[in-house]
Amino acid sequence: MSPQMIERLWQAFLDTALMVGVSAGIAVLAGIPLALFLVTSGPGGIFPAPTANRVVGTVVNGFRAVPFIVLLVALIPFTRLVAGTTIGVWAAIVPLSVSATPFFARIAEVSLREVDAGLIEAAQSIGCRRRHILAHVLLPEALPGIVAGFTITVVAMIGASAMAGAVGAGGLGDVAIRYGYQRFDTTVMVVVIAILIALVCVVQFAGDTAVRRLRAR
Amino acid sequence: MVGLIFDSLRDPGTPVAARRQAPGAATAARPPAPAPGREAGTVRFESVSKTYRSAAGPVQALDRVDLAIPAGAIFGIIGRSGAGKSSLLRTVNRLEAPTSGRVLVDGAPIDALDTDGLVALRRRIGMIFQHFNLLAAKTVRQNVALPLTVAGVPRRDIGPRVAEALRLVGLEDKADTYPSRLSGGQKQRVGIARALVSDPEILLCDEATSALDPETTLAILDLLRDINRRLGITIILITHEMSVIREICSDVVVLEGGRVVETGPVWRVFGAPEHPTTRALLEPLTRGLPSDLAARLQPQPAPGGWAILRITCSGQAAPDLSGLAEAGAPVRLLQAGIERIQGRAVGRMLVAVPAEDPAEDPSTEARLRALGDVERVGYVPADAAVG
């Protein structure tokens, strides 16, 4: 491989890391409140609002139903509004976040639902208000599951980010398609795949380690 | 372990006791009766009903329950699964709201409380649970501190109070452990410390010993009894085990189908159970007729056979056995279980007397009657292994 190609791969790696990192951050900031809303607003929840719960649940399912490559294109007007452009890394972050947030919210929701109702009852019995239940019971007790779910989300986003090349976002997937596939450069293809495998392994290992530490208590 | 707890409970310098101890509570064998007009720690149910909507239609969990629980009592609520025990207990701190009727805590109705009032009420009522319900992500210290943390108690005051509560339950050395590393009995002690750290007047126990082995159950019951004596806290506990009631309760109410079917001091309900449900719940403790005798029981006396009599002692003076010796005919003791509950002799004896005798010889039955209520169970033949 030429030095230019190595330089190109390094830049692609940074683009992928940036896209996934920023989008994952947005997914957490938006997804956890969304998950808390889905769990606590349902019937028998601590903030019951069944109608709003159904509406939000349907919207979340709607976004989850649309394939990412379609979402990428369908969101172009929205992307232009938010990012001011429809090409490049920052333009890709918009659809990536929009796609990852409902995905992560549903996964976090499962962990939050698994918090024993008895713990919430105990918290109420000692005079916890609802915000205390969120801060002291739901989130800390569900944290290992939420971290595990976040790991799954990040791995899925690394995959999705490859498609962002379709909007000229750059990144490892883009290099693999343009050089590896369209120019028949098998070396580039193999190297990109190796980098992606290594990246996913590192993310998974970090996530598993964090979960193990949290569960060890 | 148990010794450690009792030592800490006996320690007269324990500040928690000094702060809360009711006058005379430490010396009285039973919690003192509340002074007239004193209502702190009392609970009153006035025609409390609760109906749930379920897929199969409405379910009546509680049906016009009227009940008064005096301050300082250890009050047992017993019944089968689904009898409404849990619902009744949860109306006290309003984890469940009655469909109709009202609950008064310390003489004040709680049905109209807003969120602030409800939070304040719950801080005066501790609660412990069958499955402990400790937060796995927090240490023992953090679990016990939580009621104070959320109440906005200054951090410098929380430390000593948590240490005090942990000392009360004998777990000072486990403060920085996570609950998953504790045994069931230790977890329940943490639950008790968490319930007591905010100085409640009332402690609700929801099947608190049902998940524990018999030995640990006794240790936890001992702890609850000592807490009741030392701190004068009213304890309301629900259980399906009569042995728990017998062990520590002063009064008991029996629920069946959401209704109160029997209530009174434990010695009376145990000594002379009136309702079939109470008798059924007492069955494991009382033991019926042994099966070998039951198999050969007949309604008419056989020549040379025996009459089987059941003598029930329901709270009179301790039975005087010399009465048996002085009876004219031989009296065989088949089976007996007499216990001392709240200072009264309660239990049953099964005796056999020669079948010809009891009807004709009134002196034998008269003497037996001095022991308790005599009831003819039936007759068995001469060879029924009595003699």
Side-chain angles (χ1 to χ4, degrees):
Chain A
M1 275 196 304
S2 63
Q4 291 98 316
M5 184 52 75
I6 290 170
E7 173 66 23
R8 197 171 283 125
L9 280 170
W10 176 242
Q11 187 57 46
F13 173 79
L14 291 180
D15 286 349
T16 294
L18 183 65
M19 274 190 289
V20 172
V22 174
S23 308
I26 293 172
V28 168
L29 292 179
I32 285 184
L34 192 55
L36 283 172
F37 176 81
L38 286 169
V39 170
T40 57
S41 66
I46 56 173
F47 293 98
T51 311
N53 181 273
R54 265 196 302 278
V55 170
V56 173
T58 309
V59 170
V60 165
N61 286 345
F63 276 102
R64 300 254 290 110
V66 181
F68 181 64
I69 191 78
V70 177
L71 195 68
L72 201 59
V73 180
L75 281 178
I76 281 177
F78 179 69
T79 303
R80 183 177 289 122
L81 193 72
V82 174
T85 173
T86 59
I87 54 168
V89 169
W90 292 99
I93 283 171
V94 175
L96 262 179
S97 312
V98 170
S99 161
T101 299
F103 180 80
F104 176 61
R106 281 293 189 204
I107 290 182
E109 183 194 355
V110 172
S111 299
L112 288 166
R113 262 189 218 293
E114 274 170 12
V115 174
D116 186 349
L119 295 183
I120 295 170
E121 195 177 43
Q124 288 170 329
S125 81
I126 59 174
C128 282
R129 293 169 192 276
R130 295 185 292 192
R131 59 187 154 88
H132 297 137
I133 293 175
L134 297 184
H136 291 288
V137 182
L138 280 176
L139 283 174
E141 295 295 313
L143 193 60
I146 290 176
V147 171
F150 181 66
T151 311
I152 293 174
T153 307
V154 170
V155 170
M157 288 170 78
I158 291 171
S161 76
M163 287 182 238
V167 292
L172 288 166
D174 181 42
V175 172
I177 295 290
R178 284 198 287 136
Y179 294 87
Y181 176 63
Q182 288 164 354
R183 296 191 189 177
F184 304 102
D185 189 337
T186 309
T187 313
V188 170
M189 192 62 114
V190 168
V191 169
V192 167
I193 289 172
I195 293 173
L196 285 174
I197 289 173
L199 191 57
V200 167
C201 285
V202 167
V203 167
Q204 191 66 49
F205 177 77
D208 289 348
T209 305
V211 172
R212 202 167 43 246
R213 290 238 173 102
L214 288 171
R215 287 208 207 277
R217 323 191 271 208
Chain B
M1 170 59 83
V2 173
L4 187 72
I5 292 142
F6 291 147
D7 287 344
S8 72
L9 282 165
R10 285 198 200 96
D11 171 14
T14 306
V16 72
R19 194 163 70 238
R20 287 190 300 209
Q21 189 172 338
T27 48
R30 284 281 153 185
R38 188 197 152 198
E39 291 204 280
T42 64
V43 176
R44 203 153 78 240
F45 301 92
E46 290 182 350
S47 194
V48 171
S49 293
K50 170 84 186 178
T51 309
Y52 293 102
R53 270 192 293 267
S54 80
V59 177
Q60 180 115 35
L62 295 173
D63 188 5
R64 285 159 293 160
V65 172
D66 283 295
L67 202 61
I69 297 177
I74 303 186
F75 202 97
I77 302 172
I78 191 162
R80 300 188 176 100
S81 299
K85 313 183 288 283
S86 202
S87 297
L88 188 63
L89 192 74
R90 279 164 171 70
T91 60
V92 177
N93 60 356
R94 220 171 168 76
L95 288 176
E96 283 187 29
T99 315
S100 66
R102 53 179 204 166
V103 179
L104 295 90
V105 175
D106 302 347
I110 62 167
D111 48 307
L113 293 176
D114 59 6
T115 306
D116 288 343
L118 200 55
V119 166
L121 172 79
R122 286 173 177 166
R123 286 174 186 159
R124 303 197 331 259
I125 303 177
M127 187 166 185
I128 59 174
F129 302 85
Q130 179 174 5
H131 298 295
F132 323 123
N133 292 350
L134 302 176
L135 299 171
K138 292 187 192 297
T139 62
V140 166
R141 188 195 305 280
Q142 291 166 332
N143 266 286
V144 176
L146 190 58
L148 303 177
T149 311
V150 300
V153 173
R155 193 177 289 264
R156 63 178 180 282
D157 297 342
I158 291 180
R161 287 178 66 179
V162 170
E164 206 176 286
L166 286 175
R167 192 163 57 237
L168 187 70
V169 299
L171 283 181
E172 313 83 316
D173 54 333
K174 300 285 183 193
D176 296 309
T177 310
Y178 284 96
S180 61
R181 306 218 185 271
L182 301 178
S183 69
Q186 289 172 327
K187 285 179 189 169
Q188 195 57 286
R189 286 174 196 279
V190 177
I192 292 170
R194 179 176 67 180
L196 294 182
V197 75
S198 42
D199 289 347
E201 299 152 7
I202 298 167
L203 177 63
L204 308 178
C205 308
D206 179 9
E207 297 274 9
T209 58
S210 298
L212 303 175
D213 61 55
E215 206 183 339
T216 315
T217 294
L218 287 181
I220 293 291
L221 293 179
D222 278 341
L223 177 61
L224 290 176
R225 182 172 31 225
D226 275 28
I227 284 165
N228 170 263
R229 284 184 193 167
R230 295 277 305 205
L231 311 178
I233 294 175
T234 309
I235 295 181
I236 307 174
L237 64 89
I238 64 177
T239 180
H240 59 270
E241 295 170 305
M242 272 295 195
S243 56
V244 169
I245 303 276
R246 176 185 59 188
E247 193 62 35
I248 68 166
C249 290
S250 49
D251 300 88
V252 62
V253 58
V254 184
L255 288 187
E256 174 71 17
R259 257 177 247 204
V260 173
V261 296
E262 193 157 357
T263 181
V266 171
W267 65 267
R268 202 173 69 209
V269 174
F270 270 64
E274 281 165 15
H275 195 273
T277 302
T278 317
R279 292 190 186 166
L281 288 165
L282 279 168
E283 196 63 45
L285 295 185
T286 51
R287 283 181 297 171
L289 197 62
S291 57
D292 63 319
L293 293 176
R296 309 198 59 180
L297 205 64
Q298 53 197 51
Q300 295 302 323
W306 297 84
I308 307 286
L309 305 177
R310 180 185 287 127
I311 304 169
T312 306
C313 307
S314 51
Q316 299 94 330
D320 180 2
L321 295 180
S322 64
L324 287 176
E326 288 160 15
V331 180
R332 304 276 182 174
L333 182 59
L334 300 174
Q335 177 171 291
I338 303 291
E339 286 174 288
R340 202 171 162 79
I341 301 179
Q342 297 171 299
R344 293 162 191 267
V346 168
R348 279 154 202 80
M349 281 183 269
L350 209 57
V351 299
V353 296
E356 303 93 318
D357 255 16
E360 291 94 47
D361 181 4
S363 72
T364 303
E365 279 213 23
R367 286 184 187 282
L368 293 178
R369 236 173 244 121
L371 298 172
D373 296 332
V374 178
E375 177 193 357
R376 184 103 31 110
V377 179
Y379 300 89
V380 291
D383 63 339
V386 166

